[in-house]
């Protein structure tokens, strides 16, 4: 099997080239082509023909292609369905904020965490994405729109900490000058609460923002929504979060999807406030997206306001997520399902 060249670091490519007998400037040239989104060795015209042919035998250049592109009529949000070399698909969303373009990336095809409200989890996990496939989502969107992405959130399909090694490799590639060149401070990684992964990540001491999908203030409600809570209950998760904050000095962002009649009562707000008391954190309330085939409903605007007010009265920092691209159901997992259902309809 030829190796995926885009999943290798510059150092690793240099080593492989040395074995093949190529001088190190050849590595620079190849890196430049790859950074510009070049998808075949054949196009690398400043390399000798024999070298191009040898590289094509030794390596592959995998990447995503645009299968569908939905453009919001309400704002500048663009939602992509990307195709992978093996026929799998993933979603990604490009959003425009005053500070620039932010892209929501997928880290896996599907997800095995099975959260009850999530469209991605419905079909289970197909496979992990490679680091290169994550990077390629950015390069492909940049090329498609003629823009530069300035921040990324790992909040698309998949659980990033369930694909730990490739996600870490991706984060290292992300900051490389000359490449996509996005610094760690402009990255958010969202997890459903894989406590072992949080401790591992803590050791890396990265300057990224960790988002934790909490969605409930107690085990009773959280275990019903998120099976992962049976493995790592709220107390263990919050303990890991406290240690993470202590070790990294970074504030954690807790995601809380507001689901009508499930986790949005005054009592839930008060309990949440007491759980998070004194923590260096921020709560992001997300009006839950309704998903076809699931019966949960979004909380009312009045409920959301009241919930926010109780948290704020208890001294917490709270924001309510803006719903960008509401007309193109810009949350992930739904477009891929729709596409597959259409495929299966004769
Ligand atoms: N697997 C990671 C990251 C991808 S999901 C995680 O779970 O954190 C990104 C975010 O979308 C998570 O906070 C997740 O809980 C939330 N989410 C999933 N389905 C949703 C829905 N139907 N409505 C609102 N938020 C949802
Ligand atoms: Fe997976 Fe996140 Fe969806 Fe849960 S919310 S099923 S962890 S993608």
């Amino acid at each position: 099997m030829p190796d995926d060249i885009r999943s290798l670091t510059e150092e690793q490519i240099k080593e492989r080239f040395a074995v093949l007998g190529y001088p190190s400037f050849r590595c620079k040239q190849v890196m430049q082509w790859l950074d510009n989104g070049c998808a075949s060795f054949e196009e690398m015209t400043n390399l000798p023909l024999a070298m191009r042919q040898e590289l094509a035998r030794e390596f592959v250049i995998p990447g995503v292609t645009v299968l569908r592109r939905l453009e919001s009529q309400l704002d500048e949000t663009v939602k992509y369905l990307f195709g992978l070399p093996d026929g799998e698909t993933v979603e990604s969303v490009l959003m425009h904020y005053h500070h620039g373009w932010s892209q929501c990336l997928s880290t896996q095809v599907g997800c095995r965490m099975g959260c009850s409200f999530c469209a991605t989890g419905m079909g289970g996990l197909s496979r992990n994405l490679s680091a290169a496939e994550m990077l390629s989502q950015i390069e492909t969107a940049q090329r498609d729109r003629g823009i530069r992405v300035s921040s990324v959130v790992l909040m698309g399909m998949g659980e990033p900490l369930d694909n730990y090694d490739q996600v870490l490799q991706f984060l290292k590639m992300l900051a490389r000058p000359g490449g996509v060149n996005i610094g760690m401070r402009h990255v958010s990684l969202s997890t459903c609460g894989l406590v072992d992964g949080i401790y591992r990540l803590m050791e890396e001491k990265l300057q990224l923002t960790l988002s934790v999908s909490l969605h409930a203030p107690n085990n009773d409600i959280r275990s019903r929504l998120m099976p992962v809570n049976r493995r790592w209950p709220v107390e263990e998760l919050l303990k890991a979060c406290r240690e993470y904050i202590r070790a990294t000095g970074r504030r954690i962002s807790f995601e809380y999807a507001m689901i009508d009649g499930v986790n949005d009562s005054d009592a839930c707000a008060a309990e949440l406030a007491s759980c998070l008391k004194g923590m260096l954190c921020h709560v992001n309330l997300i009006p839950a997206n309704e998903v076809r085939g699931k019966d949960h409903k979004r909380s009312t605007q009045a409920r959301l306001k009241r919930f926010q007010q109780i948290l704020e009265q208890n001294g917490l920092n709270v924001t309510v997520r803006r719903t960008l691209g509401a007309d193109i159901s810009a949350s992930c997992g739904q477009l891929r399902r729709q596409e597959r259902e259409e495929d299966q309809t004769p």
Side-chain angles (χ1 to χ4, degrees):
M1 249 314 254
D3 283 329
D4 164 359
I5 194 165
R6 317 213 34 208
S7 287
L8 303 177
T9 61
E10 189 165 356
E11 276 318 301
Q12 289 168 329
I13 297 177
K14 253 190 208 140
E15 282 166 25
R16 292 286 299 270
F17 276 23
V19 174
L20 295 171
Y22 299 123
S24 67
F25 77 92
R26 292 296 186 198
C27 174
K28 282 246 161 343
Q29 289 177 313
V30 169
M31 294 298 282
Q32 247 167 24
W33 283 105
L34 293 174
D35 288 340
N36 291 326
C38 177
S40 80
F41 292 107
E42 216 181 309
E43 292 169 45
M44 301 183 180
T45 44
N46 56 354
L47 309 181
L49 182 63
M51 178 179 179
R52 281 183 260 157
Q53 289 165 341
E54 181 167 35
L55 293 183
R57 285 191 299 274
E58 293 282 323
F59 302 100
V60 285
I61 311 178
V64 303
T65 53
V66 179
L67 292 184
R68 283 183 71 180
R69 179 194 303 102
L70 300 184
E71 298 175 36
S72 171
Q73 303 303 310
L74 304 172
D75 50 61
E76 291 177 273
T77 306
V78 185
K79 181 169 182 171
Y80 289 104
L81 185 71
F82 286 133
L84 297 160
D86 59 355
E88 293 284 6
T89 56
V90 290
E91 294 176 31
S92 175
V93 181
L94 204 53
M95 294 157 289
H96 195 236
Y97 292 98
H98 59 273
H99 57 263
W101 290 94
S102 175
Q103 190 173 3
C104 179
L105 302 179
S106 290
T107 55
Q108 295 180 312
V109 183
C111 182
R112 62 192 179 112
M113 298 299 150
C115 301
S116 71
F117 44 81
C118 175
T120 299
M122 286 169 89
L125 175 71
S126 292
R127 70 167 173 89
N128 283 329
L129 292 186
S130 68
E133 287 169 333
M134 293 175 221
L135 199 65
S136 171
Q137 295 171 57
I138 307 176
E139 291 161 342
T140 305
Q142 290 191 149
R143 211 176 330 132
D144 184 61
R145 306 311 279 184
I147 50 125
R148 299 288 304 172
V149 170
S150 54
S151 63
V152 299
V153 295
L154 301 184
M155 287 194 187
M157 294 169 56
E159 165 52 46
L161 298 184
D162 189 37
N163 182 14
Y164 191 91
D165 293 336
Q166 287 301 310
V167 166
L168 256 281
Q169 172 91 336
F170 159 72
L171 292 173
K172 285 180 191 146
M173 291 157 76
L174 195 58
R176 196 172 59 78
V180 167
N181 196 4
I182 297 175
M184 233 21 103
R185 286 178 181 277
H186 305 284
V187 177
S188 293
L189 182 154
S190 177
T191 178
C192 64
L194 298 185
V195 165
D196 55 349
I198 294 176
Y199 283 118
R200 263 182 97 182
L201 191 65
M202 178 174 99
E203 299 301 327
E204 320 271 353
K205 301 234 171 15
L206 300 175
Q207 296 293 301
L208 54 72
T209 300
L210 180 64
S211 289
V212 174
S213 300
L214 194 56
H215 304 323
N218 59 49
N219 290 324
D220 185 29
I221 303 176
R222 195 165 191 271
S223 290
R224 268 186 281 141
L225 295 175
M226 306 176 74
V228 66
N229 196 67
R230 293 178 208 138
R231 173 74 180 80
W232 284 294
V234 174
E235 315 74 69
E236 279 187 50
L237 174 57
L238 292 180
K239 179 167 175 274
C241 291
R242 285 198 190 87
E243 290 193 27
Y244 184 92
I245 295 166
R246 188 157 0 105
T248 61
R250 306 279 303 166
R251 160 196 307 248
I252 285 185
S253 169
F254 288 102
E255 308 293 307
Y256 198 101
M258 298 283 293
I259 308 174
D260 184 45
V262 174
N263 62 356
D264 64 351
S265 66
D266 287 2
C268 282
E271 199 176 352
L272 180 64
S274 94
C275 286
L276 303 182
K277 208 177 167 72
M279 247 166 124
L280 180 64
C281 71
H282 163 263
V283 179
N284 193 212
L285 298 177
I286 313 166
N289 288 300
E290 291 164 16
V291 174
R292 200 143 59 93
K294 304 254 182 204
D295 52 13
H296 68 261
K297 294 255 169 305
R298 170 179 293 190
S299 302
T300 62
Q301 199 59 30
R303 243 323 62 224
L304 215 142
K305 279 263 159 311
R306 177 74 189 129
F307 200 92
Q308 178 179 14
Q309 194 183 32
I310 296 173
L311 296 181
E312 282 172 348
Q313 280 164 355
N314 282 279
L316 285 168
N317 276 307
V318 188
T319 48
V320 177
R321 163 126 9 123
R322 265 168 70 206
T323 38
L324 288 175
D327 55 331
I328 52 170
S329 63
S331 68
C332 278
Q334 308 215 48
L335 182 58
R336 173 169 175 264
R337 282 190 62 76
Q338 189 188 331
E339 188 84 5
R340 293 173 97 198
E341 280 164 18
E342 282 165 13
D343 278 355
Q344 281 153 15
T345 319

